[in-house]
Amino acid sequence: MSASPAIRVTGLEKRYGATTAVDGISFQIAPGEVFCLLGPNGAGKTTTIECLEGYRKPDAGEIRVLGMDPQLDETTLRRRIGVQLQEASLPARLRVWEILQLFSVLYERPAVPWELLERLGLEAKRDTYFDKLSGGQKQRLFVALALINEPEVVFLDEITTGLDPRARHSIWELIRGIQNSGTTVVLTTHFMDEAEALADRVAIMKSGRLVANDAPATLIAGVPRGEEVQLHIEGEVDLSAIEAVEGVIGIEPESGGLTARGGGRGWIARLVAAIDGQDAMLVDLSTRRPSLEDVYLQLTGEEEYEPEGTSPEEYEPEDTSPEDGP
Amino acid sequence: MSKLIALTVAQAKLFIREPAAFFFTLIFPLLLIVMFGLVFGNEPGASFPGPFGYVDYSTPAITALIIVSVGLMGIPIQTATARENKILRRFRAAPMRPTTYVGATVVVYYLMSLVGMALTIVVAKALFGLRFGGSWVNVTVAFTLVAGAFFSVGYLIASVASTARIAQVVGQLLFFPMMFLSGAAMPLQIMPEGVRSVAELLPMTHAVKLLQNLWFGQAWGSSTTHILVMLATLAAGLVLSARLFRWE
């Protein structure tokens, strides 16, 4: 961890007219790390990543990618980074192999990396025109172009948006492969499961600011809501008896049962025992552990998600200031 | 240099696979020359005074037509479409100068226009006994000057048009009136006086006359006005498009 960071951002600000898209954020990304920017649409993820890629000029702050300023060393930097843009296309009437051939020259590769096509499962599409590819195939081709120069840092902006589940999972496998080769990966997404599945570290953005920046497991452990158990019950239960069970933090009656939240060793067993002791039958039980989604909803301000009667303690991630509401 | 060549090859493939550009540059001129030849023939003195016939007048005029259609329609539509579809964005991410992309496009359109002229000449010669009284070096130099002028206007249109659709409309609004009024589609000599004085104001008229004068073997000095109009168009197009061009 003592190695110099692959990316260092200090006090980055970007405004569009009166709108502040990125409001003074700072973070570092270590070499080989998979870093995920997560946040709702309009939070500033793409603006941030496009400042890192040199596509946008920051209004304030300092950016170093591989020690270089993206605005000053644009061409040098582009040789060493790979870019997959959220909005990009290629000429409709070029074939997959023609595109790969063209870009290997543009990226100064000694030879066309045909093995990339195989790795990305596109070898059967070699002769297909770009506009005849499916959404998932186009995305895989863009990943191929982002990797064509064996970059030290690769940027992937909302790479799975609009893809079906199978295509998404094949892209995930690709990203894991990139990570295993030691490349630093910066990705943005608004899919929680994607961030949880891929990222070593997740930074959550809201209204241009970072409201969290940590490993997914650490972020989840910081959620004070505990585990959640959904119970399907036939018959009447005395809710006060269930609320009194040791370890239960809160309950929420629903039609055909209730949802209980709680924690501590053996609390679910005690909960089940308390229902069995009454004139009711437990039909089904499912548990849900807190996920990144709970962290996300809490930090990006979905207050209605919190059930009534509970006031979870304020979550304060380390190294970042909590969001001040506008 | 290898980047310019690779991009030029890719752009040439795209040109050949794009039916509209292919038609206007390579097929439409042949249809015109065959039609003119069949209708008017190529007898000297029949249509115009002097030793040249209708097809001899039309071939350099159609050459101008090819260049102007590429400049005012081909280049702006292709460039604005690539920008609108975010294709230019993806190319910008690669380590190359933006001028390399523009350079490759210009080379392809220039060569395709030359091919269009060559095909027209071959057909006019074979079917109607085309006559040529000038020097190929001079005609090629004039061809290049006209291409520079109208290609730079094409980039100007691509710069000011916010969408591909607008680029297409602007290009067509400039192209079609000039096609009919410049003497490229029909000779100005058969037009009424009023139309001819309007035609004098159009840059394409000067392109047609410059190419015809050199085709018939007249000296450069006889085309000073036409050369100046071409140079002025080139300068205006270059300066404005360099200032206004946007990649996104």
Side-chain angles (χ1 to χ4, degrees):
Chain A
M1 291 306 282
S2 60
S4 63
I7 291 173
R8 200 179 68 230
V9 174
T10 319
L12 173 65
E13 273 182 48
K14 179 69 189 172
R15 287 180 295 274
Y16 303 117
T19 316
T20 302
V22 177
D23 192 5
I25 65 172
S26 302
F27 59 87
Q28 295 195 359
I29 304 174
E33 196 171 29
V34 177
F35 180 86
C36 177
L37 270 176
L38 190 65
N41 290 330
K45 305 186 298 291
T46 294
T47 300
T48 302
I49 206 168
E50 288 185 352
C51 285
L52 298 180
E53 293 162 348
Y55 270 76
R56 295 186 191 281
K57 193 178 183 334
D59 292 314
E62 193 186 66
I63 297 176
R64 288 290 177 275
V65 178
L66 300 169
M68 287 178 276
D69 181 335
Q71 287 296 317
L72 298 180
D73 305 307
E74 193 174 323
T75 310
T76 319
L77 188 62
R78 292 214 162 138
R79 291 194 178 94
R80 292 174 62 189
I81 64 171
V83 171
Q84 181 268 329
L85 298 155
Q86 188 186 139
E87 285 191 317
S89 190
L90 288 163
R93 305 303 277 169
L94 280 185
R95 297 176 204 278
V96 168
W97 70 265
E98 291 169 337
I99 290 167
L100 209 59
Q101 202 166 43
L102 171 61
F103 275 83
S104 34
V105 176
L106 296 183
Y107 277 99
E108 297 154 24
R109 289 272 315 192
V112 182
W114 297 117
E115 71 278 3
L116 255 183
L117 272 193
E118 255 172 77
R119 235 172 92 196
L120 298 173
L122 285 170
E123 69 270 53
K125 297 288 169 187
R126 274 180 66 118
D127 293 325
T128 307
Y129 284 126
F130 178 75
D131 66 344
K132 300 288 179 218
L133 296 175
S134 72
Q137 289 161 350
K138 283 180 183 169
Q139 281 300 41
R140 275 183 276 158
L141 181 57
F142 282 126
V143 175
L145 296 185
L147 298 178
I148 203 164
N149 54 336
E150 293 174 348
E152 292 158 69
V153 179
V154 60
F155 296 93
L156 307 171
D157 193 3
E158 300 216 347
I159 192 164
T160 63
T161 299
L163 298 187
D164 64 54
R166 181 186 290 271
R168 283 183 69 203
H169 279 90
S170 81
I171 296 276
W172 288 10
E173 284 311 310
L174 275 173
I175 296 172
R176 292 200 180 96
I178 302 169
Q179 179 187 18
N180 291 338
S181 67
T183 307
T184 308
V185 181
V186 182
L187 57 110
T188 74
T189 185
H190 49 242
F191 294 117
M192 311 301 139
D193 53 345
E194 191 160 301
E196 208 168 333
L198 297 173
D200 297 320
R201 204 145 51 84
V202 172
I204 299 180
M205 280 193 90
K206 183 196 173 188
S207 313
R209 299 191 176 191
L210 282 191
V211 292
N213 179 4
D214 220 324
T218 315
L219 291 175
I220 293 165
V223 176
R225 12 186 324 113
E227 295 168 305
E228 206 171 77
V229 178
Q230 212 167 30
L231 304 149
H232 273 247
I233 299 166
E234 278 177 11
E236 287 292 313
V237 284
D238 175 12
L239 292 176
S240 59
I242 291 172
E243 259 182 323
V245 169
E246 187 195 344
V248 170
I249 304 171
I251 61 170
E252 200 178 346
E254 290 161 358
S255 63
L258 58 88
T259 298
R261 290 183 299 104
R265 204 178 165 81
W267 79 279
I268 296 175
R270 287 193 294 278
L271 184 68
V272 171
I275 294 164
D276 276 348
Q278 299 187 25
D279 189 19
M281 195 172 74
L282 184 59
V283 181
D284 191 21
L285 172 153
S286 57
T287 61
R288 200 177 72 81
R289 301 176 47 155
S291 70
L292 203 53
E293 190 156 3
D294 299 299
V295 179
Y296 177 84
L297 291 175
Q298 194 179 352
L299 291 173
T300 56
E302 296 278 345
E303 277 80 18
E304 68 271 25
Y305 188 73
E306 295 300 328
E308 287 169 19
T310 59
S311 51
E313 55 213 78
E314 202 67 39
Y315 176 82
E316 296 216 4
E318 289 170 30
D319 302 330
T320 56
S321 350
E323 173 66 19
D324 304 320
Chain B
M1 194 64 192
S2 57
K3 294 182 189 181
L4 179 66
I5 293 170
L7 262 173
T8 304
V9 169
Q11 293 281 27
K13 286 176 180 167
L14 287 171
F15 180 92
I16 290 164
R17 292 168 190 170
E18 169 55 55
F22 188 87
F23 176 79
F24 268 101
T25 314
L26 303 178
I27 308 297
F28 184 59
L30 301 183
L31 297 179
L32 278 182
I33 199 70
V34 170
M35 189 181 79
F36 291 158
L38 292 178
V39 172
F40 300 105
N42 198 21
E43 281 306 304
S47 307
F48 307 105
F52 292 100
Y54 199 101
V55 170
D56 305 329
Y57 272 86
S58 287
T59 301
I62 287 173
T63 299
L65 185 87
I66 294 170
I67 297 170
V68 177
S69 79
V70 164
L72 298 187
M73 297 197 298
I75 286 178
I77 294 170
Q78 196 258 17
T79 307
T81 304
R83 181 176 58 218
E84 188 173 332
N85 295 343
K86 316 278 183 189
I87 293 168
L88 294 183
R89 242 172 104 76
R90 179 51 258 197
F91 279 104
R92 233 188 104 191
M96 68 165 177
R97 278 190 297 273
T99 46
T100 308
Y101 185 88
V102 174
T105 314
V106 166
V107 167
V108 167
Y109 278 110
Y110 178 79
L111 292 177
M112 290 300 163
S113 305
L114 269 183
V115 171
M117 174 174 81
L119 287 176
T120 309
I121 289 171
V122 167
V123 169
K125 182 96 184 149
L127 297 183
F128 310 110
L130 176 72
R131 299 172 194 86
F132 180 67
S135 121
W136 286 115
V137 174
N138 285 347
V139 169
T140 308
V141 170
F143 179 97
T144 308
L145 175 61
V146 173
F150 284 94
F151 288 12
S152 74
V153 173
Y155 278 102
L156 177 58
I157 297 171
S159 304
V160 295
S162 54
T163 67
R165 185 83 193 120
I166 292 173
Q168 185 181 357
V169 170
V170 172
Q172 288 173 346
L173 277 177
L174 293 175
F175 174 74
F176 284 108
M178 286 212 285
M179 169 174 154
F180 290 110
L181 295 178
S182 63
M186 10 183 163
L188 282 177
Q189 286 84 340
I190 63 169
M191 301 262 191
E193 186 59 42
V195 174
R196 273 195 278 180
S197 56
V198 171
E200 288 298 325
L201 303 173
L202 302 174
M204 187 172 166
T205 309
H206 295 277
V208 170
K209 287 188 171 170
L210 174 63
L211 286 166
Q212 282 175 335
N213 286 351
L214 292 166
W215 189 272
F216 299 141
Q218 295 179 22
W220 285 97
S222 65
S223 301
T224 314
T225 312
H226 311 319
I227 294 167
L228 288 177
V229 171
M230 288 301 105
L231 286 175
T233 309
L234 173 65
L238 273 186
V239 169
L240 290 173
S241 58
R243 286 182 71 103
L244 300 172
F245 192 74
R246 293 160 294 126
W247 292 96
E248 296 189 28

